[in-house]
Amino acid sequence: MKRGTQRLDELTILFAGDSGDGMQLTGGQFTITSAFVGNDLATFPDYPAEIRAPAGTLFGVSGFQIHFGATEIRTPGDQCDCMVVMNPAALKVNLKCLKEGGSIIANTDSFNEKFLKLAGFTSNPLEDESLGRYQVYSVPITKLTQNALNDLNLSQKHIDRTKNFFALGLTYWMYNRPMEPTLNWIKEKFAKTPEFVEANTRVLKAGHAYGETTELFTVRYEIKPAQLPKGKYRSITGNEATAWGLIAASVKSKLELFLGSYPITPASEILHELAKYKNFKIRTFQAEDEIAGISSAIGASFGGALGATTTSGPGMALKTEAMGLAVMLELPLIIVDVQRGGPSTGLPTKTEQADLLQSVYGRNSEAPIPVLAASSPTDCFDTTYEAARIALKYMTPVIVLTDGYIANGAEPWHIPSIDDLLDLTPKFETNPENFQPYRRDPVTLTRPWAIPGTRGLEHRIGGLEKDNLSGNISYDPDNHDYMVKIRTKKVENIANDIPLAQTDGDGSGELLVVSWGGTYGSVNSAVHNKRSEGLSVSHMHLRYLNPLPNNLGQILNNFKQILVPEINLGQLVKILRDKYLVSAIGFNVVRGLPLRALEIEETIDELIKRG
Amino acid sequence: MKRGTQRLDELTILFAGDSGDGMQLTGGQFTITSAFVGNDLATFPDYPAEIRAPAGTLFGVSGFQIHFGATEIRTPGDQCDCMVVMNPAALKVNLKCLKEGGSIIANTDSFNEKFLKLAGFTSNPLEDESLGRYQVYSVPITKLTQNALNDLNLSQKHIDRTKNFFALGLTYWMYNRPMEPTLNWIKEKFAKTPEFVEANTRVLKAGHAYGETTELFTVRYEIKPAQLPKGKYRSITGNEATAWGLIAASVKSKLELFLGSYPITPASEILHELAKYKNFKIRTFQAEDEIAGISSAIGASFGGALGATTTSGPGMALKTEAMGLAVMLELPLIIVDVQRGGPSTGLPTKTEQADLLQSVYGRNSEAPIPVLAASSPTDCFDTTYEAARIALKYMTPVIVLTDGYIANGAEPWHIPSIDDLLDLTPKFETNPENFQPYRRDPVTLTRPWAIPGTRGLEHRIGGLEKDNLSGNISYDPDNHDYMVKIRTKKVENIANDIPLAQTDGDGSGELLVVSWGGTYGSVNSAVHNKRSEGLSVSHMHLRYLNPLPNNLGQILNNFKQILVPEINLGQLVKILRDKYLVSAIGFNVVRGLPLRALEIEETIDELIKRG
Amino acid sequence: MNTPIVPTQKYTTKDFQTDQDVRWCPGCGDYSILAQTQRVFPELGIPKEKIVFVSGIGCSSRFPYYMNTYGFHGIHGRAAAIATGLKLSRPDLSVWVTTGDGDGMSIGGNHFIHACRRNIGIKILLFNNQIYGLTKGQFSPTSVEGQITKSTPYGNIDHPFNPLLLALGTEATFVARTLDRDPKNMQYVIKRAAEHNGTAFVEIYQNCNVFNDGAFELWTEKGTKDDNVVVLENGLPMIFGKNKDKGVRLNGFSPDVVSLTDGKYSVNDLIIHNEKDPMLAFIIAGMSNNPALPRPIGIVHAIEKPTYESLIQKQIDTLTAKQGEGNLEKLFNHGQTWEIK
Amino acid sequence: MNTPIVPTQKYTTKDFQTDQDVRWCPGCGDYSILAQTQRVFPELGIPKEKIVFVSGIGCSSRFPYYMNTYGFHGIHGRAAAIATGLKLSRPDLSVWVTTGDGDGMSIGGNHFIHACRRNIGIKILLFNNQIYGLTKGQFSPTSVEGQITKSTPYGNIDHPFNPLLLALGTEATFVARTLDRDPKNMQYVIKRAAEHNGTAFVEIYQNCNVFNDGAFELWTEKGTKDDNVVVLENGLPMIFGKNKDKGVRLNGFSPDVVSLTDGKYSVNDLIIHNEKDPMLAFIIAGMSNNPALPRPIGIVHAIEKPTYESLIQKQIDTLTAKQGEGNLEKLFNHGQTWEIK
Ligand SMILES: Cc1ncc(C[n+]2csc(CCOP(=O)(O)OP(=O)(O)O)c2C)c(N)n1
Ligand SMILES: Cc1ncc(C[n+]2csc(CCOP(=O)(O)OP(=O)(O)O)c2C)c(N)n1
Ligand code: SF4
Ligand code: SF4
Ligand SMILES: [Mg+2]
Ligand SMILES: [Mg+2]
């Protein structure tokens, strides 16, 4: 059969099904393969809080969205071009995200009475008129999978777990992707159980062949490689990148890494990842709670380790008191907060960026801490590494904010050369002559780091206010005033040691859109779209949130209007208004999901129209 | 002997000595007696973090300052007119606060070699020239006390503990105060040990007689009663007033009070005070930590009690996560934070007002909580009562900020009539018909309070995001956005139910000084002084910090300059600048002490001069 | 969401079911715990509206949503503290805590030991699956040494808690263990816990079939259970085995297993279980650390001590008898006051 | 602030003293604990710079300021957690925790039980004065029932912890008790704690002469001490009394006091102390709950178990042996990668 191939610039596909359907794995493979062929891409895994919710339920739907293309890709896509739905619930939950005219590949075998009812359908949408606006491909995926495995001696459970590879094979055919990366992965992954290698391989190929042989599909698509910087790449999630950033900082500072952490969604993977690399002398300590997590890390840091702690919102709240101690002790410490939906337990598996004010202001008394935020999965590596640099150079705890979206999302990572990574080796104090634990370096305002084991430097530090030289307890009123102010000044001074803020677009104009953290992609994409329409709008994205870059006020004053989109009720916008007295306004949608570029574009339109 | 009596408008006296010298008690008695004769007054007890530091040490000095007068008294006085020092260390620590020409009454018996050395004196200041600028009265207080008790069979330890009464008696004579209030107090206090009644009575009288009979003192002073509102008064500290505010709220809401708390300086007295009144059906639960303190209070509140928790900065930090839960559950709860010097353990017995940003912003995600602050010891009663009103009416946790200074300080309290206190009785939901735990009142946006034991209203609530009616777990993105916003709106709406902000002075002009919390007195006094010099300056003091009064922006815009003095590095000023885009500036001294009116006056001068 | 009002005596299992989707994984041991609880609660004679389930966070902590009583899904680790406040201010309520080995023994360990020592009248059901379920499979403080989990790819090196020993170390007044797969025993234990005056602690072995499948197999599966579990019965000798042919004897302070058929030992040599003996409780609890011994289930320890809420009430009553009910007017005006005229 | 460098073998008490003002109340039991520690440390043979004292908040937690070693005055309740991180990352250090009954058993209870169960090589000295000293006199989790304190004007209603039992409930490997007023015993116990491999827990009865004076009088004062304290000696019978004329015997699981002079019982009837027997440890620890029995002091329990830090090191070594030392280049490039040309 002869079919046309249509060339596309970019495309968004969603895999959705039950928590048990392996959608995250499927999406992950599609991602790797697409990266492999040189597409740029962004992904959005979205899964329920329940571990393995009962089959067919709406709340049990798990999804993985991939936006890939021959052009620069900044977001996982506001809407999908194609949607693979493994059951009615997956269709129900996601249909609103499908573009007018988009494709649905549905596993008809699960569109049975029970599942339709569970999903709240009164009739089968594949059979009634309701999906008229879409291109529907009804494929009996379960049955076809079964057929492919007929002669193998596999349990029904195992056969069922294979059907996602059928869907994957089919989409590989549709979008002209090679099967090799996945075939290799299967071989490696199931090396110990050859029958699984055989089964998964067969089913993947069966899916591919199904596309090739049936007449259902009249067109295939081709998406050319993007123009990406030359070099070696790998796929990495935000949480992996954070973990690797810590490992790299440990290697380049020659300090042993100590992670004191307590599991919490969506931060746990950092702990899991670091637990693997014991040969880097990394010690991961799964503490009894978040307080012990950070306290143990502070203890390790006192001992000369690179101390780190990782958590999400509720855990961050629990660490508050101990962060104040770290401020007082002036010891290096890296605190990673992978933000999630709140308040309280909130929406544990959903994204949000509402811990900024907590990070900047949320401690008793004046307890200044530098705050940095990562903008994408790979940026988690750079941001964490930079946090380590600041922590070690300025003897201070540093907060790194990431979020559920970039932590779980993966993207191609241009592997850095080890030699290009800044050397972070700190200078331990070893000279007993005139040693004063709180004598500061006149430039960095940093106190010396003298670790146990150093003869002659025995000294005592603690959380009470301390004399500005000896570190001994001091209740002197003027000393306290001095210390409160110098601690703040030390952090403020870091502004002289970070890059200036930059605008993407023009340095002045009608509207500046300011963003931070994981909304980078959506905002950048929205601004680019509007600029390409000729609007006077630029984008500024901030990694450094405390202190802010020195030139920030100046840039803000170059624009007539300032818009700050955030997945919160306006947090950065508060800081900017306070600090620079600019009438910045917020765009705030708190749905537990990445911002949609389209919404931002509409707001840009509106503001520019209003003038 | 004939001596003159000089009439004074107001006067500041300080009692200072070892932690074991009973200075707090002495100051307390002087306060009560002065209040009794109708003076207006303000007090400032200042004691070390150590329990009973070794005698004679600088860090062991404990002081109690009283400013009293025939005029309106707003602060405990920037400087002292008279200083009773029981040992050299007390002199050393406090001398800088004595006015030029002020009086020193020194217990010569403790100006011995050992104590002089401990205080860092190389020669005896009572005997060398160094105190030439002051009026020094050298009195062998220890010996005279001993003499007075010679024939009683008391141990040296007990005799020593009595000598503060000698100093008290002497000052009563000097400042023409009656001995009766203290004599009555002695009788009551030591009812069970008549020999102590006898001893203390004798010594107090001996002190008085010493003034009368020796020729040391050539002048006595008289301070007439102030013009105070008519009625019945008592002396009350801020912590007592907070406790009583809670008791009153319990009585007037007909809810049993449950306090879940963990001891911490300077908040513990609230727990101690409430523990006494078990016959009010008050349950005080000293929990294992602050987290259990607030968690138990939330549990009690779920059960229909008036739940409260009390703490200071580090404990506040620990309660952060649970506060978020209370926000999510929308249950009434009163959280009292008696602020102290920080960060971390900081200066536990010193005052500060640096927990404002933590209170307003310091929780993971968007977790809005109303914040109120008390301005003086007696205002702790009103503010706490008002907090209970808001908590019960709006089903919300409410934070009450006081601080170490007003918590420990005492002032005369015009006892309110019980009938004048607002009725706070809440309406429990009892109707099972169509009951929805999160259906809101259209005006207050408050959800119903349905407590266990109510038949047919069995329901479940929790910290996960919930459906906006049923309260069932909901992961729906739009529902989340709605709930995040409605929770915030509920709190913002409270602005319609609180008094408008008012200025003391004019409604417009050159400079507005804005304050909150325990700096009320210093700021008000400074502004009054400057106004009396004709400067265009007014004062606005805020009790409501979240939400802010509706007319605040308007008032701020009526002034050319805005000054915000705070004992922190600028917290309210951040909120005002962000919210109203006014270029308010801060005056920030963080010495662990109340602000000095004089410093504020100087800043006012400067700003007005600058124009 | 609300079921019609049913008089206490007529409750059935159904009355304790809610309309909420049960969100546990198919096959999870939690289902059985829910079923047994809903089965036994009608027998307790407590009006539904007087019952509150309080929990923290975890799979186990979803429990309150599925019981048609009052329910409170708290934050991680704090259930015992929340329940403490509720019970103290409302001693009339029947307050139950459902928690996990992470929620109750890791982050919530402090509240747990303090609740036990205070003897507050709350019932703590600890769903011990020796894993963090909800966060997808990290080890917990009860995970066994060497256990491979997400956070211990080379095996767990924490020595686990023995929850029974920990509870006994706090001098808890009621300590028991039961199994998700033994409905009868579980119903009995839950009933006894409900009747206990004071803190009742029940450890429930619960299978997490997704992240720690089969952890308790030896003690729950037909083939092995009888020879590896000894059911504690107060006043009776500790006999077990498919054919009731084995027993537990004390050798010094160490329990060991003897055969009742080889003629060497008889029933008279065996430990007679005594719920009230605190030292025997330690010995029985300690048996779990020795793989050669059968795993004891049932009531390990149950004694009476005054409850915290009764002692607080006594202080309220005493003071009220002495001073009368609290009176605000009197409070404001007691002690030193003065009049400004 | 720094003393000259002294070779280990020549340390004297003075070498462990700092120039800081000691800020405890005159007469406080803490002075004696400090003195004994400074006296015994020269004998440990550990270089000063390898020693760290970590504390929380409380009077007892001021201790590190007075020891001329490295010191860390933490936050309330967290000393054990801080020390855990320090010891894990620096197993070469001798890490000591000084804490109070509030700091260690109330707010810090969770870190305490977890440190004990993990068997981390830190030494925990708990200054038990049965009161909150620093905050001026509220009851603590070890305050006795009925105790009148600032926060219990009508008497404490909390059942107190028995710290020894609690530690044993976590299966701690070293559990001991000593007295502020018994320098010899304290020095011995501290030395043994220093030598122990794993978590060493030492409860020290400490008099707070300001807020809870005389709480331990019976066991510390000349007149009553001998007849009310039994000093534990491993392998020896539990004899006590001014004239060594009394002993502790086991009656079932219950210890009771017998006279050695009335002819009924002899030394052979007494309990022979055995530091390694876990059940005997529970029995001895439990003696403190019975006022009719002498209070045991000394080493209650001491066994060997692998320490947490050694197990972590083993995993590091094993993996390093298998995969070689960590290599960043390799890490970045392992698994699936691709080239953009
Ligand atoms: C403060 C905080 N820390 C961590 C978490 C993440 N968390 C949720 S449940 C859980 C542990 C669950 O284990 P367990 O209590 O044994 O319950 P199970 O799911 O096994 O029933 C953790 C770590 C959280 N929700 N809140
Ligand atoms: C987070 C926090 N909560 C409370 C306090 C107040 N606080 C300081 S020490 C202490 C208890 C002291 O008792 P204990 O540990 O027995 O030590 P002691 O003073 O008796 O030696 C308390 C409650 C604090 N500093 N920090
Ligand atoms: S993860 Fe485990 S404990 Fe949680 S619901 Fe699934 S099977 Fe049960
Ligand atoms: S308050 Fe008690 S424990 Fe604290 S220093 Fe004074 S006597 Fe010692
Ligand atoms: Mg579990
Ligand atoms: Mg204590």
Side-chain angles (χ1 to χ4, degrees), chain B residues 304-324:
Chain B
L306 179 62
T309 189
T310 50
T311 192
S312 184
M316 194 70 178
L318 285 170
K319 291 180 200 287
T320 305
E321 191 206 3
M323 283 187 225

Side-chain angles (χ1 to χ4, degrees), chain C residues 134-253:
Chain C
L134 192 67
T135 47
K136 307 199 174 171
Q138 301 82 12
F139 73 98
S140 88
T142 61
S143 293
V144 299
E145 289 173 30
Q147 191 171 322
I148 305 280
T149 72
K150 288 248 181 75
S151 50
T152 52
Y154 309 110
N156 178 26
I157 62 171
D158 275 36
H159 304 286
F161 277 133
N162 175 330
L164 303 183
L165 270 188
L166 182 64
L168 291 170
T170 71
E171 301 174 60
T173 55
F174 183 99
V175 177
R177 178 194 283 143
T178 187
L179 306 171
D180 58 357
R181 301 283 299 274
D182 189 336
K184 222 188 73 199
N185 187 270
M186 199 192 307
Q187 290 178 33
Y188 171 71
V189 167
I190 289 178
K191 231 173 131 179
R192 282 286 308 273
E195 288 157 12
H196 179 69
N197 208 7
T199 309
F201 170 61
V202 180
E203 179 191 18
I204 308 176
Y205 281 176
Q206 172 248 324
N207 191 41
C208 168
N209 56 308
V210 173
F211 296 111
N212 196 21
D213 198 21
F216 308 104
E217 240 166 33
L218 191 66
W219 307 295
T220 57
E221 296 314 293
K222 263 222 178 107
T224 53
K225 173 177 168 146
D226 291 340
D227 283 333
N228 288 285
V229 167
V230 54
V231 181
L232 300 168
E233 297 190 71
N234 198 30
L236 296 181
M238 288 175 62
I239 300 177
F240 71 107
K242 212 169 294 191
N243 311 309
K244 300 283 167 209
D245 56 353
K246 286 182 273 195
V248 182
R249 181 190 73 119
L250 253 195
N251 185 355
F253 300 127

Side-chain angles (χ1 to χ4, degrees), chain A residues 86 107-111 139-150 156 159-160 163 166 203 206 210:
Chain A
M86 301 300 280
N107 176 13
T108 49
D109 292 330
S110 64
F111 280 68
V139 185
I141 295 180
T142 312
K143 231 168 274 144
L144 293 167
T145 301
Q146 217 134 16
N147 291 349
L149 303 176
N150 250 347
Q156 188 56 42
I159 293 175
D160 268 357
K163 65 178 185 289
F166 190 97
V203 174
Y210 182 80

Side-chain angles (χ1 to χ4, degrees), chain B residues 102-343:
Chain B
S103 313
I104 298 170
I105 301 175
N107 177 12
T108 49
D109 292 330
S110 64
F111 280 68
N112 53 32
E113 208 174 323
K114 181 181 160 200
F115 279 3
L116 285 165
K117 203 177 146 200
L118 268 173
F121 285 113
T122 46
S123 77
N124 188 341
L126 303 180
E127 291 164 8
D128 63 23
E129 241 88 284
S130 61
L131 300 178
R133 294 179 298 156
Y134 309 104
Q135 180 67 46
V136 179
Y137 300 105
S138 295
V139 184
I141 294 179
T142 312
K143 235 168 272 147
L144 293 167
T145 301
Q146 218 137 14
N147 292 349
L149 302 176
N150 251 345
D151 56 327
L152 289 181
N153 224 337
L154 285 178
S155 71
Q156 188 57 42
K157 191 169 135 195
H158 281 122
I159 293 175
D160 269 358
R161 287 215 184 139
T162 318
K163 64 178 185 289
N164 56 328
F165 280 99
F166 190 97
L168 186 62
L170 179 53
T171 56
Y172 279 177
W173 176 84
M174 264 184 92
Y175 300 107
N176 252 310
R177 331 253 93 189
M179 284 190 282
E180 286 65 38
T182 298
L183 290 173
N184 290 338
W185 178 87
I186 291 173
K187 251 183 245 152
E188 224 178 86
K189 173 80 180 176
F190 300 107
K192 283 187 196 146
T193 34
E195 64 271 31
F196 290 174
V197 174
E198 174 64 16
N200 288 321
T201 302
R202 273 205 211 174
V203 174
L204 184 76
K205 288 184 175 168
H208 198 274
Y210 183 80
E212 186 70 31
T213 53
T214 58
E215 300 188 4
L216 212 54
F217 303 93
T218 52
V219 64
R220 285 176 88 175
Y221 302 92
E222 195 184 345
I223 298 96
K224 289 264 176 218
Q227 296 287 31
L228 293 170
K230 284 189 183 129
K232 205 164 169 195
Y233 282 76
R234 63 177 304 126
S235 172
I236 197 164
T237 67
N239 274 343
E240 283 165 354
T242 302
W244 290 19
L246 288 172
I247 299 177
S250 160
V251 170
K252 300 290 284 193
S253 65
K254 304 189 188 74
L255 300 178
E256 294 182 9
L257 177 61
F258 179 93
L259 178 77
S261 187
Y262 187 72
I264 187 166
T265 305
S268 307
E269 292 80 12
I270 307 173
L271 165 65
H272 305 167
E273 183 67 15
L274 289 172
K276 295 180 194 163
Y277 302 108
K278 292 242 152 41
N279 55 335
F280 280 85
K281 296 207 179 73
I282 295 169
R283 286 173 173 84
T284 53
F285 172 60
Q286 182 180 310
E288 53 273 26
D289 62 17
E290 282 85 353
I291 300 176
I294 185 170
S295 298
S296 63
I298 295 173
S301 176
F302 180 68
L306 179 62
T309 189
T310 50
T311 192
S312 184
M316 194 70 178
L318 285 170
K319 291 180 200 287
T320 305
E321 191 206 3
M323 283 187 225
L325 177 64
V327 168
M328 205 62 157
L329 298 179
E330 304 191 38
L331 283 171
L333 178 72
I334 298 156
I335 303 158
V336 179
D337 176 5
V338 185
Q339 299 164 98
R340 68 185 215 184

Side-chain angles (χ1 to χ4, degrees), chain D residues 25-339:
Chain D
C25 306
C28 176
D30 291 351
Y31 283 98
S32 162
I33 305 175
L34 178 61
Q36 303 332 315
T37 309
Q38 290 172 336
R39 214 158 287 159
V40 83
F41 264 55
E43 299 173 29
L44 299 182
I46 307 170
K48 257 178 16 167
E49 69 271 16
K50 290 276 198 177
I51 301 170
V52 186
F53 275 83
V54 179
S55 67
I57 302 289
C59 296
S60 33
S61 291
R62 287 292 181 92
F63 198 92
Y65 289 111
Y66 312 137
M67 284 296 293
N68 196 1
T69 61
Y70 282 89
F72 189 121
H73 185 211
I75 42 178
H76 195 35
R78 316 303 169 193
I82 293 165
T84 293
L86 179 60
K87 181 70 184 176
L88 291 189
S89 66
R90 289 290 304 275
D92 61 312
L93 301 176
S94 172
V95 179
W96 295 73
V97 168
T98 55
T99 182
D101 39 323
D103 192 65
M105 305 253 112
S106 193
I107 191 168
N110 207 28
H111 311 306
F112 172 72
I113 60 177
H114 282 272
C116 287
R117 88 172 163 89
R118 291 190 187 110
N119 201 31
I120 286 172
I122 60 177
K123 322 296 163 196
I124 302 173
L125 309 179
L126 184 119
F127 298 16
N128 185 2
N129 55 12
Q130 302 185 343
I131 197 84
Y132 286 2
L134 191 67
T135 47
K136 307 200 175 173
Q138 301 81 14
F139 72 97
S140 88
T142 60
S143 294
V144 299
E145 290 174 29
Q147 192 170 320
I148 305 283
T149 72
K150 288 251 181 74
S151 50
T152 52
Y154 310 109
N156 177 27
I157 61 172
D158 275 38
H159 303 286
F161 277 134
N162 175 331
L164 304 183
L165 270 188
L166 182 64
L168 292 169
T170 70
E171 300 173 60
T173 55
F174 183 97
V175 177
R177 176 194 284 143
T178 188
L179 306 172
D180 57 359
R181 301 284 299 274
D182 190 335
K184 224 187 72 197
N185 186 269
M186 200 192 306
Q187 290 179 33
Y188 171 72
V189 167
I190 290 177
K191 232 172 129 179
R192 283 286 308 273
E195 288 157 12
H196 179 70
N197 208 7
T199 310
F201 170 60
V202 181
E203 178 190 18
I204 307 176
Y205 280 176
Q206 173 247 324
N207 192 40
C208 168
N209 55 309
V210 172
F211 296 112
N212 195 21
D213 197 22
F216 308 104
E217 240 166 31
L218 192 65
W219 307 294
T220 58
E221 295 316 293
K222 263 219 177 113
T224 52
K225 172 177 169 147
D226 291 341
D227 283 333
N228 289 286
V229 167
V230 53
V231 182
L232 301 168
E233 298 189 71
N234 197 30
L236 296 182
M238 289 175 63
I239 299 178
F240 70 108
K242 213 169 294 192
N243 309 310
K244 301 281 168 211
D245 55 354
K246 288 181 270 194
V248 183
R249 181 191 71 121
L250 254 195
N251 185 355
F253 301 126
S254 307
D256 57 22
V257 170
V258 296
S259 160
L260 297 176
T261 54
D262 67 359
K264 278 205 216 146
Y265 297 98
S266 81
V267 166
N268 299 331
D269 297 307
L270 304 185
I271 303 176
I272 307 293
H273 182 46
N274 177 359
E275 293 174 357
K276 298 210 176 340
D277 186 327
M279 280 306 141
L280 182 59
F282 281 114
I283 291 172
I284 291 175
M287 287 172 63
S288 318
N289 294 4
N290 184 345
L293 298 174
R295 203 53 66 104
I297 69 164
I299 318 288
V300 177
H301 190 50
I303 57 167
E304 290 286 323
K305 249 203 261 186
T307 64
Y308 196 88
E309 61 274 18
S310 71
L311 292 170
I312 221 174
Q313 191 58 49
K314 219 162 109 185
Q315 292 197 338
I316 291 177
D317 295 343
T318 310
L319 197 68
T320 307
K322 219 166 113 184
Q323 305 191 347
E325 271 198 19
N327 178 307
L328 211 50
E329 190 84 40
K330 256 202 216 156
L331 172 69
F332 285 0
N333 290 282
H334 86 277
Q336 280 185 305
T337 62
W338 65 91
E339 199 83 38

Side-chain angles (χ1 to χ4, degrees), chain A residues 382-553:
Chain A
D382 298 320
T383 303
T384 305
Y385 196 83
E386 170 70 351
R389 178 187 76 83
I390 293 174
L392 292 168
K393 179 163 177 189
Y394 294 93
M395 293 288 282
T396 178
V398 177
I399 294 173
V400 174
L401 294 175
T402 77
D403 64 49
Y405 162 54
I406 63 176
N408 289 319
E411 64 180 7
W413 183 44
H414 192 171
I415 300 173
S417 133
I418 311 300
D419 294 337
D420 289 351
L421 295 172
L422 262 184
D423 184 70
L424 303 184
T425 321
K427 208 182 128 287
F428 288 124
E429 184 60 76
T430 53
N431 182 4
E433 198 93 29
N434 274 323
F435 170 62
Q436 299 278 18
Y438 275 77
R439 190 201 303 279
R440 292 173 194 279
D441 176 284
V443 176
T444 61
L445 302 182
T446 303
R447 74 177 195 90
W449 196 4
I451 64 169
T454 319
R455 189 168 284 202
L457 295 192
E458 293 83 3
H459 67 284
R460 281 118 334 246
I461 58 176
L464 284 164
E465 187 55 280
K466 38 186 57 43
D467 178 79
N468 66 66
L469 273 182
S470 67
N472 291 339
I473 298 176
S474 165
Y475 299 142
D476 179 71
D478 293 321
N479 178 76
H480 179 52
D481 187 57
Y482 175 82
M483 290 295 274
V484 166
K485 287 172 180 169
I486 199 90
R487 281 188 290 262
T488 298
K489 195 162 167 209
K490 179 176 87 167
V491 171
E492 282 170 355
N493 271 0
I494 297 172
N496 301 323
D497 190 22
I498 58 173
L500 293 177
Q502 287 188 321
T503 52
D504 184 349
D506 304 312
S508 65
E510 175 64 31
L511 174 65
L512 180 69
V513 189
V514 185
S515 63
W516 67 278
T519 47
Y520 169 77
S522 317
V523 174
N524 195 255
S525 166
V527 170
H528 271 259
N529 290 345
K530 287 293 132 183
R531 283 182 67 79
S532 71
E533 290 174 14
L535 267 54
S536 171
V537 53
S538 296
H539 179 204
M540 175 164 64
H541 188 83
L542 297 174
R543 168 189 282 173
Y544 300 88
L545 298 160
N546 189 38
L548 292 162
N550 279 331
N551 64 333
L552 185 55

